[in-house]
Amino acid sequence: MAMECLSWFIHKYLFHGPLWFMHKSHHQKAKSFFEWNDLFAALFAVVSLFLMYTDRDNLGYRFFIGLGITLYGLIYFVVHDWFVHRRFKTFKSNNTYLQAVRKAHKVHHKNRGKEKGKAFGLLFVRKNLIKKD
């Protein structure tokens, strides 16, 4: 839960702020499989591995912060890259929650610019986006 909140903050205030020069590739039509925005995943992986490595002997708070970043990164990859953006075409679901996640992300991508964005999170979605049967 903490990682989702931190991710929302980073996305809204850094990615759509001073780091827009890299993140904007994610809001444009893809020219290749990789985009500049993918460098953020590599950066977070390095940070998490560093934290886990430096605290590997006593498994203190740094190790578990690194583990949390890693686990959130894995969830992010599966939900965001694989399911929402279909970078790999093998994961489809009619699950109501996952469809709401996809819809919220479409709301975010409706605005292709740096300003006036909405729905900066990934896993928390507004109730009005959840389809009622």
Side-chain angles (χ1 to χ4, degrees), residues 94-118:
N94 290 325
N95 177 277
T96 303
Y97 167 72
L98 288 176
Q99 291 300 321
V101 168
R102 176 179 277 138
K103 189 183 272 187
H105 205 69
K106 285 183 179 183
V107 166
H108 177 71
H109 277 270
K110 197 171 195 178
N111 175 18
R112 295 216 176 252
K114 177 180 175 180
E115 307 293 330
K116 300 179 184 173
K118 294 180 181 175

Side-chain angles (χ1 to χ4, degrees), residues 12-82:
K12 181 171 177 131
Y13 293 107
L14 295 179
F15 289 5
H16 282 258
L19 298 176
W20 176 252
F21 70 97
M22 283 175 55
H23 183 63
K24 72 180 173 182
S25 67
H26 183 63
H27 286 266
Q28 299 168 340
K29 188 163 178 70
K31 296 175 183 143
S32 69
F33 183 77
F34 291 106
E35 50 194 45
W36 281 103
N37 189 67
D38 293 333
L39 290 176
F40 291 121
L43 173 68
F44 292 129
V46 167
V47 169
S48 66
L49 289 171
F50 173 78
L51 289 168
M52 289 189 292
Y53 181 79
T54 58
D55 212 10
R56 70 191 179 283
D57 293 333
N58 61 358
L59 300 180
Y61 72 94
R62 288 176 298 209
F63 179 86
F64 288 102
I65 290 172
L67 182 62
I69 294 169
T70 299
L71 293 175
Y72 185 80
L74 181 61
I75 292 167
Y76 187 90
F77 171 75
V78 170
V79 173
H80 179 266
D81 290 341
W82 203 339

